[in-house]
Amino acid sequence: MFGNVIYLDNAAATRLDERVLEAMKPYFFDFYAVATSQFGYSLGVDARDALDTARAEIAARLGADAEEFIFTSGGAESSNLVLKGVAMALGDKKGRHIIITPIEDFPVLHSARTLERQGFQVTTVRVDETGRVDLDHLRDAITPETILVSIQSANQEIGTLQDVAAIADIVHERGVLFHTDATHSFLRVPLDVRQVPVDLVTVSAHTLHGPKGVGGLYVRKGTPIRKWMDGGFQEFDLRGGAEDIPGAVGFAKAVALVTDEETARLQGMRDRLIARLLTIPHSRLNGHPVHRLPQNVNVSFRFVEGEALLLHLDMRGFAVSTGSACFSRSLEASHVIMGIGGDHERAHGSVRFTFGRFNQESDVDAVADAVAEVVTQLRKISPLGKE
Amino acid sequence: MPLPYSEIVMEHFRNPRNVGRIEDADAKSIEGSPACGDMVAVYLKVDPETQRITDIKFESYGCASNIATGSIITELAKGKTLEEAKKITWQQASEALGGLPPVKAHCSVLAVDGLRAAIESYEERHGLTRQREPTTVEVVRKRLKHVMNPVVGLDVVRTKMVKDISVEEGTVRVVLDLPADHQFAAAMKEDIEDKLSSRWDVQQVVVEFVG
């Protein structure tokens, strides 16, 4: 790959596709004006056109109308807007109860915690050992006070896919709003808002070889949600601040470049890597074997610690991620592995590999060989697992 | 790319010294537990005449700083008398490594504790303990700092999981803020009993769960 690094952390960030940069460039140098109203000067009208086109193209991939899609600074902002915006719109009118899962990514998880401190009640719906939501528990958890159910489409660490359609039906039937964080599944796993009664969908460009700092939110027409970032009347008066035109154009280009053939190729690499890694003794797959993101592999190796494994792999030119407490900024073990009933030991030795466009088939064997060697090396110095 | 670790740390991490087991060790200790995170085992061979450490080995189930500290501690202790080796501090180990990130203190302190625990175990077994310190609430609290709260991977004292400690006529009572049916309750009970029951004046260790 690039700079002799085999990059397998595409869930965290992806390399920008050069074609995306080319599409963005004119909006830095030629059409750099702010998007003006149709009565403004022509440079601003051109910028407005580019923004509208980008919006329509991305919305179409969700089966949505252009007016139902707003640009944000990323998935974190989109999810913040959903939880806090719906709470502001309905907290006094309908109720103060929200439902999430224990394995949501931090923007949803921590927005919910913030609301909890403000007096909202948050129910964490049960997930099974693969991370899939217990639908019966979800049914029971919804009360007349419930204003929002926020359940991710795919998990950021273990790649487990939820049955979004089934969840949406359950939630919709009870007249409650449903938000799904699709940061990791957008375009890799089909989602059409004309078929699935979902009200709000978080997406991001950074997982799709688009620019960093650009995301979006699908908002179904008529959804009660209050603006959270004040400013002008941009983004259908849901988000203040001048629009990031190059970002929007780059996001649309990134979206246009994703194909089902590519996703199938990633899935092939995923399946081969899982098969190879599970031949290492005392290894286990985290997440669901079938209902799984096509680009995600997450395996725990007993008797070794993830940060040590990661550093050894780094020295050999591989970039991966781990759920070990020693690696996290908070020094806390992965809340996802703990959330699916795993223990500290399983989180400690968990490693995530995520594929992207610039990975080659040969990367799979290269990293599988390296992992096998490093695990053997670390187990030699471990006091455990000798018997 | 600037790593948070010094070159010496990385060197010891890549090529740890004195790794492995001593099958006929004169003393050994295991600090930490797999349920909680990092773990270090220290093995000693001691010359009974001079009380010098003639051989020392370690094993680590831990992150880079844990492995590097285990390695450096064996280099620092080898050839020293038990008295001298006992005085080796985390600070010294960290200096010898060219500095450790402060957030990694709790991963690396295990190796220093492991060395001390192995020496203490040797001394207790060979009747070398000069003054027998009675077990007090403070002593118990100090020992409990070596018991990890597996939910967050930090010790049970620091995370305020310990609600109460009492010592009465050889019975140590520890109350933990954790449901008795919690997945880690049994492992933690065992860990605490392990850490305290070896003390000379302790006959019984009672671990209670509230919450």
Side-chain angles (χ1 to χ4, degrees):
Chain A
M1 257 184 88
F2 303 95
N4 297 322
V5 171
I6 293 183
Y7 183 78
L8 293 162
D9 200 17
N10 287 283
T14 50
R15 182 185 184 277
L16 191 77
D17 192 303
E18 276 92 350
R19 293 168 288 183
V20 171
L21 181 63
E22 287 310 315
M24 292 169 75
K25 265 185 188 166
Y27 297 93
F28 286 114
F29 300 112
D30 303 327
F31 308 102
Y32 45 79
V34 76
T36 56
S37 78
Q38 54 185 324
F39 307 113
Y41 47 81
S42 45
L43 212 55
V45 174
D46 288 340
R48 155 76 53 201
D49 280 350
L51 183 67
D52 288 347
T53 306
R55 191 191 308 283
E57 284 173 6
I58 300 171
R61 293 291 288 263
L62 282 165
D65 292 338
E67 307 80 66
E68 296 177 303
F69 187 84
I70 68 162
F71 287 104
T72 67
S73 66
E77 188 194 321
S78 301
S79 292
N80 266 269
L81 171 56
V82 168
L83 273 84
K84 294 167 186 175
V86 168
M88 282 207 291
L90 295 178
D92 290 335
K93 269 192 212 152
K94 192 185 171 205
R96 298 169 81 79
H97 180 230
I98 284 168
I99 297 173
I100 60 169
T101 76
I103 59 173
E104 292 299 313
D105 210 344
F106 291 122
V108 167
L109 203 59
H110 290 169
S111 292
R113 295 285 164 266
T114 297
L115 291 173
E116 213 168 19
R117 282 195 293 275
Q118 293 171 2
F120 282 79
Q121 199 199 333
V122 178
T123 299
T124 308
V125 76
R126 274 196 299 272
V127 294
D128 67 16
E129 67 205 21
T130 68
R132 292 205 112 199
V133 165
D134 178 338
L135 297 180
D136 289 328
H137 188 214
L138 173 64
R139 266 183 213 104
D140 293 344
I142 299 172
T143 74
E145 291 277 296
T146 311
I147 52 171
L148 178 71
V149 174
S150 179
I151 294 176
Q152 60 187 192
S153 297
N155 186 266
Q156 60 284 0
E157 286 180 36
I158 58 172
T160 298
L161 302 179
Q162 300 297 343
D163 189 345
V164 174
I167 293 169
D169 283 338
I170 290 169
V171 177
H172 202 234
E173 207 171 83
R174 304 283 292 271
V176 175
L177 293 178
F178 176 49
H179 164 242
T180 190
D181 175 358
T183 302
H184 297 278
S185 61
F186 180 42
L187 303 182
R188 298 294 182 202
V189 181
L191 175 63
D192 188 326
V193 298
R194 286 167 301 198
Q195 265 131 49
V196 179
V198 53
D199 302 290
L200 301 135
V201 183
T202 290
V203 296
S204 177
H206 82 285
T207 52
L208 296 167
H209 306 283
K212 294 169 178 69
V214 183
L217 181 67
Y218 161 75
V219 185
R220 188 178 291 277
K221 268 186 209 98
T223 299
I225 182 167
R226 193 84 65 79
K227 184 179 186 171
W228 181 63
M229 182 147 78
D230 287 315
F233 300 96
Q234 294 89 350
E235 300 301 304
F236 313 110
D237 202 18
L238 268 178
R239 182 194 193 259
E243 301 91 341
D244 174 0
I245 312 279
V249 169
F251 193 178
K253 184 67 183 177
V255 162
L257 292 172
V258 176
T259 63
D260 291 346
E261 291 71 35
E262 175 178 88
T263 302
R265 190 175 77 84
L266 302 186
Q267 182 158 339
M269 291 193 280
R270 174 198 77 179
D271 291 342
R272 178 159 171 74
L273 183 58
I274 290 174
R276 288 262 349 238
L277 293 178
L278 292 184
T279 63
I280 296 173
H282 303 293
S283 61
R284 69 178 285 181
L285 183 70
N286 294 312
H288 201 283
V290 179
H291 301 296
R292 184 173 198 97
L293 272 181
Q295 69 272 34
N296 172 291
V297 176
N298 190 312
V299 175
S300 282
F301 304 96
R302 288 190 75 192
F303 318 127
V304 299
E305 189 279 321
E307 191 221 43
L309 191 54
L310 180 147
L311 285 175
H312 271 291
L313 288 174
D314 181 48
M315 291 188 279
R316 290 160 179 252
F318 299 94
V320 300
S321 174
T322 168
S324 167
C326 299
F327 178 69
S328 79
R329 284 187 207 180
S330 60
L331 290 179
E332 287 182 15
S334 155
H335 73 279
V336 174
I337 304 273
M338 304 300 264
I340 57 170
D343 55 15
H344 212 89
E345 188 184 359
R346 196 161 134 208
H348 218 45
S350 68
V351 183
R352 180 186 71 179
F353 310 81
T354 42
F355 291 101
R357 177 170 303 148
F358 301 105
N359 287 113
Q360 294 159 7
E361 273 64 15
S362 59
D363 293 350
V364 174
D365 282 333
V367 75
D369 290 343
V371 169
E373 281 173 35
V374 173
V375 166
T376 305
Q377 191 182 337
L378 287 172
R379 279 181 184 165
K380 259 188 208 150
I381 70 168
S382 174
L384 300 168
K386 295 271 160 60
E387 285 73 32
Chain B
M1 181 187 64
L3 279 168
Y5 296 121
S6 74
E7 272 177 41
I8 312 175
V9 172
M10 286 308 285
E11 215 288 305
H12 277 268
F13 166 62
R14 268 193 295 264
N15 305 300
R17 330 288 200 260
N18 304 308
V19 168
R21 260 176 213 195
I22 301 176
E23 292 303 337
D24 60 339
D26 295 321
K28 70 166 196 175
S29 76
I30 294 178
E31 290 285 312
S33 82
C36 312
D38 287 1
M39 193 170 162
V40 172
V42 176
Y43 304 84
L44 296 180
K45 284 296 273 184
V46 180
D47 181 333
E49 299 297 312
T50 61
Q51 287 180 24
R52 265 181 206 285
I53 296 172
T54 55
D55 197 10
I56 176 167
K57 284 202 190 309
F58 86 101
E59 292 173 313
S60 161
Y61 165 58
C63 59
S65 55
N66 183 288
I67 293 170
T69 317
S71 172
I72 200 81
I73 210 92
T74 61
E75 287 206 321
L76 291 173
K78 208 172 195 170
K80 288 216 167 62
T81 65
L82 296 179
E83 263 326 295
E84 290 164 348
K86 235 195 308 193
K87 290 187 188 122
I88 296 170
T89 62
W90 176 82
Q91 207 62 38
Q92 281 171 307
S94 169
E95 273 166 30
L97 286 169
L100 282 167
V103 295
K104 292 290 185 171
H106 80 279
C107 326
S108 50
V109 81
L110 271 184
V112 183
D113 292 340
L115 174 63
R116 271 188 216 154
I119 293 172
E120 275 164 26
S121 143
Y122 181 88
E123 288 178 334
E124 269 174 29
R125 266 206 270 167
H126 291 78
L128 297 174
T129 322
R130 273 185 223 119
Q131 227 180 356
R132 286 184 151 190
E133 191 192 4
T135 303
T136 61
V137 169
E138 255 333 286
V139 169
V140 172
R141 191 183 307 279
K142 227 169 122 187
R143 292 300 295 156
L144 289 178
K145 283 185 183 162
H146 300 258
V147 176
M148 292 292 153
N149 169 354
V151 181
V152 293
L154 298 171
D155 76 76
V156 291
V157 177
R158 207 169 130 186
T159 55
K160 301 192 167 59
M161 195 188 247
V162 177
K163 283 290 148 212
D164 193 34
I165 302 169
S166 66
V167 183
E168 223 170 297
E169 290 171 11
T171 298
V172 177
R173 216 173 117 263
V174 178
V175 182
L176 289 186
D177 184 8
L178 192 77
D181 58 354
H182 191 275
Q183 57 166 331
F184 295 128
M188 296 193 66
K189 185 169 186 281
E190 203 178 311
D191 199 5
I192 290 169
E193 285 168 351
D194 232 41
K195 289 272 186 302
L196 294 167
S197 59
S198 61
R199 293 201 57 87
W200 64 276
D201 58 346
V202 171
Q203 276 112 49
Q204 201 192 0
V205 180
V206 182
V207 181
E208 284 171 18
F209 297 94
V210 294

